[in-house]
Amino acid sequence: MTHFTDTVELNEFISGLPKAELHLHLEGSVQPEVWARLAGRNDPHLSVTPDDIREMLKYNSLSDFLFAFMALTSCFREPDDFRLAALECGRELARHNVVYAEIHTSAAAGLSIGIPPREIMDAVITGLNEARSEGGPEWGLIVDVIREMAVKDQGEIGLELAMEYRNRGVVAIGLGGNEAKIPTSEAAALFRAARDAGMHRTAHAGEAAGPESIRQALDIGAERIGHGVAAREDPELLCLLRDFRIPLEMCPSSNVCTGAVASMEEHPIADYLRQGLLVTLSTDDPPFFHTDMNTEYARVAEAFDLSPAEIIQLSKNAFDAAFGVIPKSGFRF
Ligand code: ADE
Ligand code: ZN
């Protein structure tokens, strides 16, 4: 470490920095203690401990992770579970000095767990507003469409929801799930309809598939890329991302846990930042990837010996890349 005397000084610098988080899944923000309570409540014969849940949070691939993500998400039974998840999510962000967050919710997937998606949206909005009234972050919602859950049907519902709630905090539609199984190009009609409706678009791409998936995302009209790790395999694409200032929502701990990169040290985030790409830093699904916002900044800063100016740049980039309107005054970088 050449820029800070020790990790204490680094951590203080990071926690004092106002941050914006652009890639965080609400369902992926729930802590093991809460999952254990929800699972036990749903099946009184089952005794589930937080340690049992922690055992589930180990994976070697994106598919394994998504399996755990979907299995745990099916523990939600009532809209109020979503309100509480959103309230806790906002409170946790505040603890990390995140002053603005764009939060993915897979509300359309509520159909498969028997909760009407609109009740989920209402509950999430209520929870995030409650958190904000306690000093939590300003927020925007991204309605996430999971590829595996039939892009076509869920996409329509997802876009309907996004449009219906755009005056209540929805800022974009997102495309999640496993790009290695269902190509990004399959969302072309969905993204075209979103663009025609004036709705912002972001897609997970270059996480479990190669640079062609990122190119497909741009071709179908994605304005931001979730992850984008694989861009380094295509130098022309890297130039394009830099020159057109396409924001990358990078989540290094997530990428290590799902095997998208072999280790934090091999992650391209610092190279991209130093090449002038519009790189932002997020947690994706924090307890699932054993991280949180301050930890994520600290891990990247330590692995790549980031200077204070580079750490600030990462944070500023997220404010610049936000879809929503952020009150930018009052933040001291
Ligand atoms: N949904 C939640 N987290 C995800 C990830 N990292 N990739 C794809 N879909 C997701
Ligand atoms: Zn994600």
Side-chain angles (χ1 to χ4, degrees):
M1 198 179 313
T2 51
H3 301 284
F4 296 89
T5 22
D6 53 23
T7 51
V8 175
E9 197 192 9
L10 171 66
N11 289 340
E12 273 174 11
F13 181 81
I14 288 169
S15 45
L17 189 67
K19 291 175 281 290
E21 169 142 41
L22 302 184
H23 192 124
L24 168 65
H25 297 261
L26 174 73
E27 297 81 356
S29 72
V30 177
Q31 299 289 337
E33 290 70 19
V34 178
W35 285 128
R37 191 168 48 70
L38 293 180
R41 175 200 62 181
N42 294 342
D43 187 346
H45 303 294
L46 203 68
S47 126
V48 186
T49 67
D51 281 341
D52 296 332
I53 303 292
R54 281 187 201 97
E55 274 304 303
M56 290 178 71
L57 307 183
K58 295 174 181 165
Y59 350 83
N60 292 315
S61 66
L62 182 64
S63 306
D64 288 355
F65 154 71
L66 287 170
F67 183 82
F69 178 88
M70 306 286 235
L72 287 173
T73 300
S74 69
C75 293
F76 284 115
R77 282 294 146 86
E78 302 163 7
D80 203 53
D81 297 338
F82 284 88
R83 181 188 65 80
L84 287 171
L87 175 60
E88 277 311 317
C89 178
R91 285 176 172 162
E92 174 68 1
L93 288 167
R95 286 191 276 273
H96 292 267
N97 205 0
V98 173
V99 295
Y100 178 76
E102 289 185 353
I103 301 172
H104 287 67
T105 175
S106 312
L111 288 180
S112 61
I113 49 175
I115 311 180
R118 284 171 184 77
E119 294 186 22
I120 297 180
M121 295 295 291
D122 291 339
V124 169
I125 290 167
T126 304
L128 289 173
N129 283 342
E130 282 173 14
R132 186 176 54 194
S133 70
E134 294 176 3
E138 295 290 332
W139 55 269
L141 274 180
I142 297 177
V143 177
D144 190 49
V145 173
I146 302 175
R147 287 168 170 90
E148 286 84 333
M149 303 185 85
V151 170
K152 211 166 135 282
D153 308 335
Q154 282 222 358
E156 270 165 33
I157 298 159
L159 185 55
E160 248 174 54
L161 281 181
M163 294 305 296
E164 209 173 305
Y165 284 83
R166 74 190 315 181
N167 292 330
R168 294 180 57 197
V170 168
V171 293
I173 188 142
L175 181 67
N178 195 340
E179 60 186 324
K181 290 196 175 148
I182 300 178
T184 303
S185 53
E186 300 242 334
L190 169 65
F191 271 37
R192 195 177 320 115
R195 190 187 50 201
D196 291 349
M199 179 60 64
H200 286 301
R201 300 143 326 263
T202 178
H204 289 67
E207 173 190 30
E212 69 288 349
S213 183
I214 303 173
R215 284 187 178 272
Q216 286 172 21
L218 298 176
D219 285 347
I220 68 172
E223 298 159 276
R224 293 196 323 224
I225 301 294
H227 301 282
V229 175
R232 63 177 157 193
E233 295 164 34
D234 180 343
E236 274 180 28
L237 175 60
L238 270 185
C239 292
L240 194 136
L241 293 170
R242 183 196 60 209
D243 295 347
F244 285 88
R245 300 203 43 78
I246 309 286
L248 300 182
E249 309 154 4
M250 302 209 89
C251 312
S253 292
S254 158
N255 300 142
V256 173
C257 290
T258 63
V261 296
S263 66
M264 180 61 80
E265 287 67 31
E266 285 172 51
H267 199 279
I269 186 164
D271 275 350
Y272 289 2
L273 185 68
R274 288 167 180 157
Q275 286 175 45
L277 274 78
L278 190 50
V279 174
T280 69
L281 182 61
S282 288
T283 57
D284 209 2
D285 306 275
F288 284 79
F289 299 131
H290 320 291
T291 192
D292 55 50
M293 199 53 161
N294 285 339
T295 302
E296 204 61 17
Y297 267 77
R299 282 183 188 157
V300 172
E302 285 196 274
F304 302 104
D305 197 18
L306 296 190
S307 68
E310 287 174 324
I311 298 173
I312 290 172
Q313 188 65 51
L314 264 184
S315 168
K316 279 190 165 161
N317 284 353
F319 287 91
D320 287 348
F323 288 136
V325 179
I326 317 175
K328 288 191 185 179
S329 59
F331 303 141
R332 191 176 53 81
F333 283 102

